[in-house]
Amino acid sequence: MNGQDINSDPSIKPSRYVINFFDWPIEKCRKNYPVCFRIIEEKVKPTRENLKGDKKAKKWEDLGRYWLENRAAKLIENDGTFSQYSVTYHRMMLDTYAFCEIWRRNHNLEPFSQKTFSKLKIATNWLLQMCDKKTGDAPNIGANDGANLFPLSNSDYRDFRPSAHIACVLFHNKRAFKKTGIWDQPLIWLNIKSPKDTIQSPFSTTMDKGGFHVLRKAKTVAYLRYPRFNFRPSQADALHCDLWVNG
């Protein structure tokens, strides 16, 4: 539904329809929805069969992979910190790579290098360190202007668990959280199978390349941001300190 649908009919009746058989067998589609299936056979199938594809597709694929791997090597530190020093933009970066990895798998394309996968694993660990397991929120560090590429769950904008979870599943092949919850909704939408194993819970650590101390004891967490910049920060957040108790 778009603006034209809303503005053209007082009852907001859509002008277009979607036929989506998902992964149903052909015979089931033909038997249960013969009219819809006839539309697919007569209008959609011939058009798809006549598509010859882009001869330069492989070139664009190789170029895209090159720059994705180049930027991961350059902009993700060895402790997982992203160059923008922002929790929100760290999520955006991970969501970008997650989207590309899902696309790659669906089209059976060449995988990322082990070096890139290693960087994405530690970048996932970074977000899990910052993300509160109970609420999904995180310290408001760095630029925060609304970036959220995967709004595929009923969670709040400040809930970083869905992005951390899908990245953990894709890059670690482990669940970020043992229990099921709204963080599983993107996996369902994107038809991604959830692993059985769960990643180790975050513990006290120092991410010195980015300038972060995280201290944990029972249900209490302290986050300290100290000056350590290899890239020019938009917001320094020098000596920013958060103390969280039970979420």
Side-chain angles (χ1 to χ4, degrees):
M1 181 178 289
N2 60 18
Q4 186 175 357
D5 290 319
I6 295 174
N7 296 327
S8 301
D9 190 288
S11 63
I12 318 180
K13 184 178 179 180
S15 60
R16 299 167 297 169
Y17 297 88
V18 175
I19 300 174
N20 180 15
F21 290 126
F22 193 51
D23 59 353
W24 287 7
I26 290 178
E27 289 307 318
K28 179 180 178 180
C29 303
R30 182 183 284 116
K31 179 180 178 181
N32 294 316
Y33 298 93
V35 176
C36 293
F37 192 80
R38 193 177 306 119
I39 294 173
I40 298 294
E41 283 190 312
E42 295 177 357
K43 296 184 177 181
V44 178
K45 185 180 178 182
T47 302
R48 291 290 181 88
E49 289 179 341
N50 288 329
L51 291 176
K52 296 180 180 180
D54 187 349
K55 295 181 180 180
K56 298 180 180 179
K58 188 62 170 64
K59 173 185 175 182
W60 290 114
E61 176 193 334
D62 293 341
L63 184 64
R65 181 182 297 102
Y66 169 80
W67 280 113
L68 286 166
E69 296 200 336
N70 177 283
R71 294 300 83 188
K74 176 68 175 177
L75 302 180
I76 301 174
E77 299 280 14
N78 290 332
D79 62 2
T81 303
F82 181 50
S83 61
Q84 289 186 274
Y85 306 108
S86 160
V87 179
T88 301
Y89 276 95
H90 194 102
R91 170 172 65 184
M92 187 190 75
M93 176 272 294
L94 270 182
D95 281 350
T96 300
Y97 279 97
F99 180 84
C100 293
E101 174 62 11
I102 294 166
W103 178 272
R104 183 201 68 75
R105 293 185 183 188
N106 288 342
H107 292 273
N108 197 28
L109 302 178
E110 182 182 337
F112 289 122
S113 68
Q114 286 300 315
K115 183 177 180 181
T116 298
F117 242 79
S118 295
K119 281 293 186 80
L120 296 174
K121 285 180 178 180
I122 57 176
T124 301
N125 295 346
W126 189 97
L127 187 59
L128 287 171
Q129 278 285 0
M130 293 294 180
C131 173
D132 178 66
K133 185 182 295 187
K134 183 177 180 180
T135 65
D137 204 352
N140 195 22
I141 294 172
N144 174 11
D145 57 6
N148 187 9
L149 299 185
F150 274 160
L152 298 177
S153 69
N154 294 330
S155 60
D156 185 77
Y157 157 72
R158 289 291 305 176
D159 189 342
F160 292 86
R161 289 174 298 182
S163 292
H165 187 56
I166 195 169
C168 196
V169 169
L170 291 172
F171 304 129
H172 281 286
N173 194 29
K174 292 183 179 180
R175 293 182 56 82
F177 312 102
K178 187 174 183 179
K179 295 182 179 179
T180 57
I182 54 176
W183 45 85
D184 285 291
Q185 292 175 1
L187 300 182
I188 299 171
W189 278 105
L190 297 168
N191 195 29
I192 300 173
K193 186 178 180 180
S194 177
K196 294 181 179 180
D197 296 333
T198 303
I199 199 169
Q200 182 181 4
S201 297
F203 47 84
S204 296
T205 188
T206 296
M207 297 174 283
D208 190 57
K209 291 289 186 180
F212 297 96
H213 285 309
V214 182
L215 302 176
R216 300 178 179 275
K217 185 173 183 180
K219 297 181 179 180
T220 303
V221 188
Y223 302 90
L224 175 65
R225 175 78 173 102
Y226 60 92
R228 184 80 81 224
F229 302 112
N230 289 324
F231 302 90
R232 183 173 180 268
S234 61
Q235 290 177 268
D237 294 310
L239 301 183
H240 173 114
C241 184
D242 265 33
L243 180 63
W244 293 52
V245 180
N246 197 25

